[in-house]
Amino acid sequence: MSAGGLTVGMEIAPAAKRSKRLSPMVYVLIAVGAVLLLSLVRLLADARDLTSAGTVQAAITAAVPLAMAGLAGLWSERAGVINIGLEGMMVLGTFGAGYAGYQWGPWAGVAFGLLLGAIGGLLHAIATVTFGVDHIISGVAVNLLAPAAALFLSKLYFAKAPGGGQKQSPRVEDAAKVSVPGIADPLGRVEEKGWFFISDLAGILRGLLTEVSLLSVLAVALIVGTVYVLWRTPFGLRLRSCGEAPTAAESLGVNVYKYKYYAVVASGAFAGLGGAFLAVSSGQFRDGQTGGRGFIGLAAMIFGNWRPGGLATGAGLFGYTDALALRGSTAVHALLLLLGIALMFVAVIQFRAGHSVLSGVAAALGVLFGWWYFVSDQVPAELVGAAPYVVTLLVLGLASQRLRVPRAIGEVYRRGEGK
């Protein structure tokens, strides 16, 4: 069986209907434009936290678990299996990291969290792939069972452990952090000057290149690796064919059951890894630690059009707004102006794409947020914690283009039905 023959069987959309891919230079220009916008808002609002190294580092810490949840959803749904059980699989990962991490170190915690997440994925695969259980029902079951199991095991193993409790593990050592040598102090001095664009760029680079957790480096490697494996290898083509046209893939010799199992178990492992990162980076397992990040990661994956780059962008946006929320009301107040300007850009883009309704909604919301910024001095404390969720879903929802859902997603596959 050749990869080319499989491509024909998948009945991929005609080239004319595919969206044009942007060149690397366009991405560079977008990044420069984003930094210019941040710099402008930072000057207007006198909010240094917008581009400080500390904010960038906090944003990375918040974005990685979300990116892993999105990556988990990508693997599963590209193979045709809906996985809303990501939240539960992340919970299993947090407990695994807490249990193994305090006894044998952070990397043992990461490995055990990944393993427990994979077990959660395996349960989902058995229910959906082998027994044909509705994917949503199976995912809900995982989300209900996993937190209960984690809380039970926490009371069993942590209640009498030194530094532990019924709802939390003893302290877990953080993973090692790395820096590019010789740049922290020079970039820090430039950042402190407060110059337009130059100081902001220095702060962002300092946050990206210094004191970066090895777990964050691993997450980036996994996202890049997913691009290669799923879009550049015969294995990835066969896996994606299971989510596009499983009966056609079967006719060309693909073991659809096997590839669906690969995808869903890998999905659970990635979600468990995201949960393990949460526990290790915060220093312990805590009950309720995931805070809905599995669902936000799934949303980022959908609005990212089932693509690694899109889900990484969504995770980064959530991480950045979450980092600003941790800085308090002043930083979130500056975010209102930033969001207003960003939504006006979205309105222009949607208008040029012919989406007049979305353009009008984005423009109206942009004006509303701008007006809110200029008539107020701060954001109510009750709304600060909700800012990451509201901003992420709002921007991703309005900025998303036509979504290309895997054709056979959610369908129950049975061998031989297409004959």
Side-chain angles (χ1 to χ4, degrees):
M1 179 190 62
S2 66
L6 183 56
T7 303
V8 175
M10 286 173 62
E11 299 178 0
I12 294 177
K17 293 183 179 180
R18 296 177 187 172
S19 59
K20 295 181 179 179
R21 294 184 178 180
L22 301 179
S23 66
M25 182 55 66
V26 173
Y27 285 111
V28 171
L29 292 176
I30 291 174
V32 171
V35 177
L36 284 171
L37 175 60
L38 286 171
S39 185
L40 176 62
V41 174
R42 190 261 301 171
L43 287 175
L44 292 175
D46 191 25
R48 290 206 166 195
D49 281 333
L50 285 179
T51 57
S52 69
T55 297
V56 174
Q57 290 170 346
I60 294 173
T61 300
V64 168
L66 195 66
M68 291 297 95
L71 199 63
L74 173 71
W75 273 77
S76 180
E77 299 202 359
R78 277 293 181 175
V81 179
I82 298 172
N83 191 358
I84 66 166
L86 297 174
E87 180 77 4
M89 296 170 195
M90 287 188 76
V91 171
L92 293 176
T94 59
F95 170 79
Y99 175 77
Y102 91 91
Q103 299 182 85
W104 305 301
W107 290 104
V110 169
F112 197 57
L114 186 150
L115 175 62
L116 290 188
I119 291 174
L122 178 62
L123 293 175
H124 187 52
I126 291 172
T128 56
V129 179
T130 300
F131 293 105
V133 174
D134 182 272
H135 299 189
I136 303 299
I137 293 175
S138 177
V140 169
V142 172
N143 287 336
L144 293 175
L145 290 173
L151 183 57
F152 170 77
L153 293 172
S154 175
K155 292 179 179 179
L156 185 64
Y157 290 106
F158 299 150
K160 297 182 180 180
Q166 291 191 351
K167 294 186 177 182
Q168 65 184 45
S169 72
R171 298 297 298 175
V172 177
E173 182 183 351
D174 198 357
K177 297 183 178 181
V178 295
S179 301
V180 176
I183 67 168
D185 291 339
L187 288 176
R189 288 192 291 269
V190 175
E191 181 185 356
E192 291 174 357
K193 298 293 184 181
W195 296 329
F196 176 75
F197 185 75
I198 301 298
S199 293
D200 300 285
L201 182 61
I204 293 171
L205 289 176
R206 185 168 173 239
L208 291 173
L209 301 177
T210 62
E211 293 297 307
V212 179
S213 171
L214 286 177
L215 289 175
S216 300
V217 177
L218 174 61
V220 173
L222 289 173
I223 293 173
V224 174
T226 291
V227 175
Y228 176 78
V229 170
L230 293 188
W231 277 271
R232 295 290 185 270
T233 66
F235 171 86
L237 179 59
R238 292 170 189 140
L239 188 147
R240 289 185 293 117
S241 74
C242 297
E244 296 288 345
T247 54
E250 177 193 338
S251 70
L252 291 169
V254 175
N255 188 331
V256 176
Y257 286 134
K258 181 174 71 173
Y259 278 90
K260 283 180 179 288
Y261 263 89
Y262 286 156
V264 182
V265 173
S267 173
F270 285 126
L273 181 62
F277 183 93
L278 274 175
V280 171
S281 62
S282 65
Q284 64 181 158
F285 157 81
R286 294 190 302 275
D287 183 47
Q289 192 168 30
T290 55
R293 284 172 173 79
F295 298 110
I296 297 294
L298 190 63
M301 181 271 299
I302 293 171
F303 289 123
N305 215 3
W306 289 265
R307 290 276 181 173
L311 70 87
T313 301
L317 177 61
F318 178 90
Y320 179 70
T321 52
D322 193 31
L324 288 181
L326 293 175
R327 262 58 182 170
S329 178
T330 301
V332 176
H333 184 250
L335 182 62
L336 291 176
L337 179 59
L338 179 63
L339 184 59
I341 297 173
L343 286 172
M344 296 307 294
F345 276 112
V346 169
V348 172
I349 293 172
Q350 293 288 20
F351 181 79
R352 294 188 62 181
H355 304 147
S356 56
V357 175
L358 278 178
S359 175
V361 172
L365 289 174
V367 171
L368 176 62
F369 280 108
W371 172 81
W372 187 0
Y373 170 79
F374 285 109
V375 300
S376 64
D377 295 324
Q378 62 180 4
V379 175
E382 296 80 5
L383 299 179
V384 170
Y389 301 92
V390 173
V391 172
T392 302
L393 294 179
L394 184 63
V395 173
L396 290 179
L398 292 174
S400 61
Q401 301 298 312
R402 184 179 301 173
L403 299 180
R404 168 65 170 80
V405 183
R407 286 193 179 94
I409 190 170
E411 296 179 4
V412 176
Y413 164 78
R414 286 291 175 262
R415 184 179 288 125
E417 284 187 349
K419 297 181 180 179

